[in-house]
C-alpha cells in the first residue's frame, strides 16, 4: 500500500494519503515504543540537520541527529526559501520557456521537501504529542503556501504559455508540462479572484478537518482498547498471544490483558476467541470507534469537498477526483464495482451458509453475526482443508521469508542483491536498513524495513520515499516499507501468517517501483503515478510469494530446516482463495461507501453517518449484515485522511492489471530475468513519465482483461 507523500515543486505542501490496506497484526506491543532519538531536546549549539543536505549516502536522513525542536524552524525556513525561489521564476523578465520555468520549478524547495518527507513519514511511524503539536501548527501554513503558488496568476501565465506551445516538446518534457498545467488548473488557477479567495477558505477548512480526523483516529488506537481481567475469557488464543496481551497491558499501566485494534473493521483475534461475548465486544469496539469525534468531521469534509468540486466546475468531488485518474469518471468506477458486487455477494452467501451449518453442528441456535464470521470460518477452513495456522506458521519464520523468499525472488526476477547497512541510523531500534544492488554490482538505492507494531505507529502497511530518484537532481532512491506484525517475546522467532507473507511481498512491490525509477524529473519519479495505477506493481509482486520455486526456497521449518510438507503446502495454496466472497464484499462495500460519500451534492442534508452508510450499501445491494465494510466511515483513513478520497476503488482496478500481468509473465516462462527486465524497463522504471496505459501495453502487448482477476479471487474456476 502506497502512502502518498508528494513534496515536489508542483505540490509544495503536504498531500498525504492514508493508503494503507489491512494489517494482519493481532496486538500492539507497546514495549517496543522506546523514546526515539527524534524526540530529544537539542543543546542550543546543535545545528538543525534539516537545513542542509544529509552527508550520508544518497542523502539518507540523519535520524540519529534529528531533534524535536528542528521541525518548525525547518518548515518556516523551507517555506521562505521556496517562496523566494518561486518569486524569482515568476518575476523573470524573459519570456517563459521550459527551462526557465518548468525545470526551474523542479529545482525549488529543497529544504521544504526534505523537511516534509522526514516529518510526515515519522509522524506515521513514531508519533507522539510533539508530532501532533507541530502538525496542528504547520498544516494550515503549508496549505496557504500551496495556495499561494497554485493561485499565483503570473506564475500560471508562464506555465500556460509553455503549455500552449507544447507541440515543440516530446517525451518526458511534454509529460511534465502537461502534469504541471493540469495540476494548476485543478487547483483553481483559472478561477476568478473572488473564487480564488473562496478556494483558499475551503482548502484551509479542509486541511484543519482532515488533520483533526487523522489525529482523532491515532488517539483512538490508544484509547479504544479492551482490557480483559479474567484469562479464561481468552480461551482459544495461543500462549504467545496471551503473553503479548499481558505485556501490552503492563506497558500501558493496566492490569490484565489488553487488546488493541488494527485499522480494519475485522480484527485478527476474532478468528481465535471462543468467548462470543468478548468477540462481540471486540467487534463493536472496532466498528463504532471514533464515532463521536469523527462522524461530524466526516459530514463536513464530504460537504466541503463537494463545494470545492463545484467551484472548479465539477458536479461532485468524485467527478473531480477521478478527472486525472485512469478511470476518468465515477460511472466507470461504479460500473466495475457494481459488476463484481453480485458475483461476490453470491459467493459470500455460500460461505455464510457453510458457517451457519458449522454453528448448528456445534449445537448453537444463534444466527451468524459479524463477530462470528472469522471464528467459524476458521473452523470451516480447518474442516475443508484440514489446515490450522499453528501448523503453518512454523514454516514462515520472518528472516527466512525475507531473505530466502522475498529477496530470493527479486534476485531471480531482477538479478538484484541485498546488503544489510547496519551503519546507517534508523528511526527505531527495530528498523533494518539495506542497500540494493543491480546484477552488475552497481548500487540502486537504500531500503528500510520497519516490521513491528508499536504505539505511535499508524495501523496497516505502507511504503514511502524518503528521497526520490531524479537525474535532474542527481538523486537516488531511499525508500521504506512499514508493516504491523506483532512483535514476539524477547528471544522468540517471528512466525508469520501466510497473509503477513503476502503483505511483505506486496509492500516490496511498491519499494521496487520507487527503487527502479529512471526518470529525469522528481515530479514524475517512482510511485508518483495515478492512484489507480500505483497499486499495480505491489499487487503484482504478491503473486511471487506463491511461486513454487520461491516457496521451495523459504517455506522451511524454523527449527529443523525441513521444507514444508507437500501435502501441507497444497492445503495452504488451495485455501489461498478461501473466504474470498467475504473479502471481496467487505472491500467492495468500503469502496462504494467512499464513492457514495464523494458523490453527494454540496447541499445534501446528512445528520446520521450510520444511516448514510446503510442507505449507500443498500443502493448497491451490499447491505448484508454478516459482512460489514472493511472500513466504516469514522475510521476510513484512505477516504477522509486525504489522498484516496473517491479512490479506494483503485485496489480493485489495479488488481486487474496485477492478475493480467502475472498471467502474461507465466505464459512467458514465469520467474526469469528476461521477464523481470522487460517489466522493469516498460513499467517500473517509467514512473509517470508517459501515459500509464501505454506503459502496460508496452509490457504485455495489450490492455488488461478481468478474466485473470476473477480466477485470482476464486470467483470463477
Amino acid at each position: 500500500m502506497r502512502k502518498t507523500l508528494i513534496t515536489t515543486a508542483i505540490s509544495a505542501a503536504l498531500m498525504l494519503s492514508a493508503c494503507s490496506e489491512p494489517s494482519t497484526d493481532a496486538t500492539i506491543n507497546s514495549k517496543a515504543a522506546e523514546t526515539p532519538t527524534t524526540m530529544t531536546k537539542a543543546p542550543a549549539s546543535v545545528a538543525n540537520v534539516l537545513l542542509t543536505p544529509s552527508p550520508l549516502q544518497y542523502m539518507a536522513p540523519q535520524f540519529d541527529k534529528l531533534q524535536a525542536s528542528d521541525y518548525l524552524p525547518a518548515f518556516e525556513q523551507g517555506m521562505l526559501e521556496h517562496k523566494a525561489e518561486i518569486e524569482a521564476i515568476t518575476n523573470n523578465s524573459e519570456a517563459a520557456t521550459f527551462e526557465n520555468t518548468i525545470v526551474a520549478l523542479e529545482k525549488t524547495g529543497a529544504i521544504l521537501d526534505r523537511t516534509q518527507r522526514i516529518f510526515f513519514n515519522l509522524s506515521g511511524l513514531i508519533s507522539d504529542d510533539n508530532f501532533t503539536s507541530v502538525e496542528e501548527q504547520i498544516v494550515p501554513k503549508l496549505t496557504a503556501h500551496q495556495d499561494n503558488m497554485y493561485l499565483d496568476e503570473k506564475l500560471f501565465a508562464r506555465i500556460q504559455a509553455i503549455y500552449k506551445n507544447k507541440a515543440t516538446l516530446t517525451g518526458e518534457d511534454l509529460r511534465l508540462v502537461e502534469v504541471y498545467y493540469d495540476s494548476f488548473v485543478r487547483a483553481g488557477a483559472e478561477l476568478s479572484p473572488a473564487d480564488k479567495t473562496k478556494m483558499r477558505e475551503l482548502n484551509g477548512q479542509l486541511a484543519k478537518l482532515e488533520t483533526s480526523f487523522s489525529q482523532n483516529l491515532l488517539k483512538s488506537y490508544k484509547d479504544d482498547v479492551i482490557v480483559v481481567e479474567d484469562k479464561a475469557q481468552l480461551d482459544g488464543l495461543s500462549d504467545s498471544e496471551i503473553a503479548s496481551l499481558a505485556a501490552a497491558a503492563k506497558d500501558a499501566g493496566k492490569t490484565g490483558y489488553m487488546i488493541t485494534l488494527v485499522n480494519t473493521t475485522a480484527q485478527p483475534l476474532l478468528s481465535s476467541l471462543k468467548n462470543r461475548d468478548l468477540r462481540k465486544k471486540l467487534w463493536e469496539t472496532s466498528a463504532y470507534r471514533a464515532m463521536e469525534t469523527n462522524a461530524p468531521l466526516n459530514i463536513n469534509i464530504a460537504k466541503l469537498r463537494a463545494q470545492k468540486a463545484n467551484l472548479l466546475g465539477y458536479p461532485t468531488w468524485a467527478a473531480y477526483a477521478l478527472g486525472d485518474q485512469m478511470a476518468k469518471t465515477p460511472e466507470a468506477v461504479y460500473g466495475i464495482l457494481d459488476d463484481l458486487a453480485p458475483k461476490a455477494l453470491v459467493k459470500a452467501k455460500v460461505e455464510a451458509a457453510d458457517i451457519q451449518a458449522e454453528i448448528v453442528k456445534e449445537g448453537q441456535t444463534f444466527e451468524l453475526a459479524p463477530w462470528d464470521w472469522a471464528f467459524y470460518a476458521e473452523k470451516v477452513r480447518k474442516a475443508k482443508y484440514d489446515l490450522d495456522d499453528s501448523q503453518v506458521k512454523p514454516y514462515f519464520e520472518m528472516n527466512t521469508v525475507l531473505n530466502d523468499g522475498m529477496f530470493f525472488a527479486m534476485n531471480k526476477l531482477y538479478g538484484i542483491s541485498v546488503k544489510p547497512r547496519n551503519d546507517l541510523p534508523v528511526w527505531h531500534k527495530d528498523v533494518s536498513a539495506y542497500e540494493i544492488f543491480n546484477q552488475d554490482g552497481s548500487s540502486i538505492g537504500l531500503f528500510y524495513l520497519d516490521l513491528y507494531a508499536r504505539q505511535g505507529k499508524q495501523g496497516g502497511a505502507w511504503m514511502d520515499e524518503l528521497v526520490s530518484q531524479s537525474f535532474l537532481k542527481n538523486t537516488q532512491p531511499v525508500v521504506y516499507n512499514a508493516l504491523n506484525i506483532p512483535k514476539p517475546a524477547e528471544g522468540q522467532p517471528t512466525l508469520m501468517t501466510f497473509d503477513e507473507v503476502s503483505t511483505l511481498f506486496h509492500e516490496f512491490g511498491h519499494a521496487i517501483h520507487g527503487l527502479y525509477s529512471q526518470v529525469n524529473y522528481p515530479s514524475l519519479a517512482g510511485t508518483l503515478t495515478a492512484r489507480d495505477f500505483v497499486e499495480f506493481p505491489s499487487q503484482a509482486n504478491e503473486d511471487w510469494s506463491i511461486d513454487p520455486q520461491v516457496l521451495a526456497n523459504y517455506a522451511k521449518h524454523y527449527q529443523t530446516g525441513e521444507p514444508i510438507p507437500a501435502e501441507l503446502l497444497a492445503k495452504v495454496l488451495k485455501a489461498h482463495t478461501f473466504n474470498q466472497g467475504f473479502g471481496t464484499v467487505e472491500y467492495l462495500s468500503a469502496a462504494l461507501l467512499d464513492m457514495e460519500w464523494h458523490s453527494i451534492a454540496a447541499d445534501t442534508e446528512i445528520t446520521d453517518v450510520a444511516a448514510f452508510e446503510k442507505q449507500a450499501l443498500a443502493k448497491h445491494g451490499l447491505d448484508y449484515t454478516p459482512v460489514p465494510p472493511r472500513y466504516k466511515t469514522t475510521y476510513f483513513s484512505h477516504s477522509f485522511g486525504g489522498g484516496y478520497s473517491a479512490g479506494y476503488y483503485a485496489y480493485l482496478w489495479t488488481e486487474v492489471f496485477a492478475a493480467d500481468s502475472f498471467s502474461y509473465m507465466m505464459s512467458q516462462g514465469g520467474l526469469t530475468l528476461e521477464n523481470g527486465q522487460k517489466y522493469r524497463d516498460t513499467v517500473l522504471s517509467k514512473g509517470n513519465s508517459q501515459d500509464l496505459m501505454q506503459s502496460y501495453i508496452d509490457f504485455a502487448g495489450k490492455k488488461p482483461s478481468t478474466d485473470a482477476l476473477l480466477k485470482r479471487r476464486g470467483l470463477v474456476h
Side-chain angles (χ1 to χ4, degrees):
M1 288 56 74
R2 169 70 169 101
K3 179 179 174 185
T4 310
L5 180 60
I6 304 174
T7 51
T8 61
I10 65 167
S11 183
L14 172 66
M15 296 177 68
L16 179 62
S17 85
C19 176
S20 176
E21 272 286 89
S23 165
T24 51
D25 54 325
T27 60
I28 299 290
N29 184 354
S30 35
K31 191 174 183 179
E34 287 91 356
T35 303
T37 55
T38 48
M39 304 317 301
T40 59
K41 292 184 178 181
S45 59
V46 175
N48 187 333
V49 297
L50 292 171
L51 298 180
T52 56
S54 169
L56 300 179
Q57 185 180 4
Y58 304 147
M59 293 188 287
Q62 300 178 82
F63 295 112
D64 56 335
K65 291 183 170 58
L66 282 169
Q67 308 295 337
S69 57
D70 288 346
Y71 297 116
L72 278 175
F75 272 120
E76 296 288 356
Q77 181 64 30
M79 284 187 287
L80 283 173
E81 177 193 74
H82 193 231
K83 179 175 181 286
E85 291 169 336
I86 291 173
E87 287 177 347
I89 295 168
T90 302
N91 297 324
N92 188 342
S93 59
E94 298 178 0
T97 66
F98 178 74
E99 289 293 333
N100 71 18
T101 301
I102 304 296
V103 175
L105 282 169
E106 284 291 278
K107 295 178 179 178
T108 63
I111 293 176
L112 185 58
D113 178 71
R114 180 165 53 248
T115 303
Q116 287 187 148
R117 286 180 186 269
I118 293 173
F119 175 82
F120 287 110
N121 278 306
L122 291 182
S123 71
L125 293 162
I126 52 171
S127 184
D128 60 9
D129 290 344
N130 178 72
F131 279 101
T132 300
S133 174
V134 172
E135 190 173 10
E136 288 175 345
Q137 295 177 69
I138 205 62
V139 166
K141 295 180 180 180
L142 287 171
T143 303
H145 178 72
Q146 176 174 276
D147 285 340
N148 289 340
M149 182 180 72
Y150 278 127
L151 303 179
D152 187 310
E153 187 175 347
K154 288 175 66 178
L155 179 58
F156 179 61
R158 295 182 70 88
I159 293 170
Q160 193 172 37
I162 299 165
Y163 181 78
K164 287 179 178 178
N165 292 297
K166 65 178 183 176
T168 61
L169 300 171
T170 59
E172 194 177 332
D173 293 357
L174 174 60
R175 181 75 167 180
L176 184 65
V177 169
E178 291 174 338
V179 167
Y180 264 87
Y181 178 78
D182 290 345
S183 297
F184 271 75
V185 170
R186 288 173 58 78
E190 293 183 318
L191 295 176
S192 67
D195 283 345
K196 285 182 178 178
T197 298
K198 178 64 175 175
M199 178 63 73
R200 290 177 184 273
E201 293 172 357
L202 289 171
N203 286 340
Q205 293 176 67
L206 281 168
K208 182 178 179 180
L209 292 175
E210 289 165 1
T211 299
S212 295
F213 174 90
S214 297
Q215 291 181 347
N216 288 343
L217 193 50
L218 194 60
K219 187 173 185 292
S220 170
Y221 283 114
K222 181 179 180 181
D223 295 344
D224 292 330
V225 299
I226 298 172
V227 177
V228 177
E229 295 183 356
D230 183 1
K231 183 179 178 181
Q233 292 185 15
L234 301 176
D235 187 21
L237 301 188
S238 67
D239 290 342
S240 63
E241 287 172 326
I242 293 172
S244 181
L245 298 180
K250 181 179 179 181
D251 290 340
K254 302 178 186 296
T255 302
Y257 308 87
M258 188 173 78
I259 302 173
T260 54
L261 300 179
V262 302
N263 57 335
T264 52
T265 303
Q267 298 295 304
L269 293 186
L270 290 173
S271 65
S272 304
L273 286 168
K274 293 182 179 181
N275 187 305
R276 190 169 190 246
D277 289 337
L278 182 56
R279 290 203 309 268
K280 180 180 179 181
K281 184 177 182 180
L282 175 56
W283 186 87
E284 289 181 339
T285 302
S286 173
Y288 305 129
R289 75 185 98 161
M291 182 64 76
E292 291 186 8
T293 56
N294 274 350
L297 300 182
N298 292 126
I299 295 170
N300 287 333
I301 288 170
K303 288 186 175 183
L304 287 171
R305 286 174 176 170
Q307 290 178 40
K308 181 175 174 178
N310 292 168
L311 196 62
L312 292 164
Y314 293 87
T316 64
W317 180 262
Y320 166 75
L322 290 161
D324 64 347
Q325 302 299 302
M326 296 186 77
K328 299 300 182 188
T329 67
E331 291 74 22
V333 173
Y334 281 122
I336 191 171
L337 297 179
D338 285 332
D339 179 61
L340 190 55
K343 300 182 182 74
L345 188 60
V346 167
K347 180 79 169 176
K349 287 184 175 180
V350 170
E351 294 167 357
D354 289 342
I355 291 171
Q356 189 67 55
E358 187 67 29
I359 293 171
V360 172
K361 181 180 175 182
E362 289 197 348
Q364 303 292 342
T365 58
F366 59 80
E367 187 174 346
L368 172 63
W371 47 88
D372 299 315
W373 188 292
F375 182 74
Y376 285 96
E378 182 62 18
K379 289 179 176 289
V380 172
R381 185 171 74 105
K382 289 178 182 177
K384 278 194 170 187
Y385 305 107
D386 190 23
L387 188 65
D388 189 321
D389 264 349
S390 63
Q391 295 175 280
V392 176
K393 289 176 70 173
Y395 293 95
F396 298 133
E397 189 274 325
M398 182 269 293
N399 288 303
T400 305
V401 171
L402 180 66
N403 295 300
D404 298 339
M406 190 176 76
F407 290 158
F408 168 81
M410 298 301 95
N411 172 262
K412 291 295 182 183
L413 193 60
Y414 304 111
I416 65 168
S417 58
V418 181
K419 174 186 175 183
R421 288 294 305 273
N422 299 324
D423 58 309
L424 291 173
V426 294
W427 55 88
H428 189 276
K429 68 182 183 65
D430 290 336
V431 177
S432 301
Y434 303 89
E435 186 170 0
I436 312 297
F437 296 90
N438 283 308
Q439 190 174 27
D440 64 5
S442 58
S443 178
I444 299 172
L446 300 175
F447 168 67
Y448 297 81
L449 182 61
D450 187 346
L451 279 175
Y452 295 118
R454 57 176 173 268
Q455 283 191 340
K457 186 178 183 181
Q458 74 174 45
W462 67 93
M463 169 270 183
D464 211 329
E465 301 174 9
L466 297 164
V467 180
S468 66
Q469 179 273 331
S470 167
F471 293 135
L472 177 70
K473 291 190 171 183
N474 194 31
T475 55
Q476 289 185 248
V478 179
V479 310
Y480 74 88
N481 283 165
L483 283 75
N484 270 282
I485 296 174
K487 189 176 181 182
E490 190 71 29
Q492 296 299 307
T494 301
L495 303 181
M496 302 172 70
T497 67
F498 196 62
D499 284 343
E500 288 167 343
V501 173
S502 295
T503 300
L504 183 66
F505 274 76
H506 176 108
E507 295 309 327
F508 199 70
H510 283 307
I512 58 175
H513 197 184
L515 287 165
Y516 292 166
S517 177
Q518 293 285 287
V519 304
N520 290 317
Y521 306 116
S523 294
L524 305 177
T527 54
L528 291 181
T529 67
R531 288 185 307 252
D532 51 10
F533 187 85
V534 76
E535 295 296 332
F536 156 41
S538 55
Q539 295 193 97
N541 207 57
E542 286 182 42
D543 287 324
W544 297 118
S545 68
I546 58 173
D547 180 86
Q549 183 182 358
V550 179
L551 270 168
N553 205 60
Y554 77 86
K556 299 177 181 179
H557 198 283
Y558 78 100
Q559 290 175 314
T560 67
E562 290 295 314
I564 188 170
E567 184 181 359
L568 180 58
L569 178 58
K571 292 176 184 177
V572 171
L573 297 178
K574 191 174 181 182
H576 196 50
T577 58
F578 176 74
N579 214 35
Q580 278 297 305
F582 175 93
T584 306
V585 168
E586 68 159 3
Y587 165 77
L588 290 172
S589 297
L592 285 163
L593 271 185
D594 172 45
M595 287 297 297
E596 288 293 341
W597 273 110
H598 294 105
S599 296
I600 66 168
D603 59 355
T604 302
E605 189 63 32
I606 304 172
T607 57
D608 187 328
V609 165
F612 181 91
E613 289 180 338
K614 185 174 181 62
Q615 183 179 10
L617 294 176
K619 176 180 175 181
H620 297 277
L622 289 181
D623 183 20
Y624 183 50
T625 301
V627 186
R630 182 172 296 172
Y631 302 99
K632 290 193 173 188
T633 303
T634 57
Y635 49 94
F636 203 165
S637 290
H638 296 75
S639 189
F640 289 94
Y644 270 52
S645 56
Y648 191 61
Y649 75 92
Y651 288 96
L652 179 64
W653 185 277
T654 54
E655 193 177 351
V656 173
F657 286 76
D660 191 78
S661 68
F662 190 74
S663 177
Y664 169 76
M665 277 202 188
M666 295 310 291
S667 73
Q668 301 298 309
L671 191 69
T672 67
L673 289 173
E674 291 75 18
N675 274 337
Q677 192 62 50
K678 184 180 182 184
Y679 181 52
R680 183 173 177 177
D681 290 343
T682 56
V683 176
L684 298 177
S685 67
K686 297 297 183 183
N688 192 32
S689 64
Q690 66 179 32
D691 177 77
L692 297 171
M693 183 60 80
Q694 188 58 52
S695 290
Y696 187 83
I697 293 171
D698 289 345
F699 169 64
K702 61 176 181 60
K703 292 184 178 180
S705 75
T706 60
D707 296 343
L709 169 65
L710 295 173
K711 293 178 182 177
R712 189 178 197 251
R713 284 186 168 255
L715 301 178
V716 299
H717 299 288

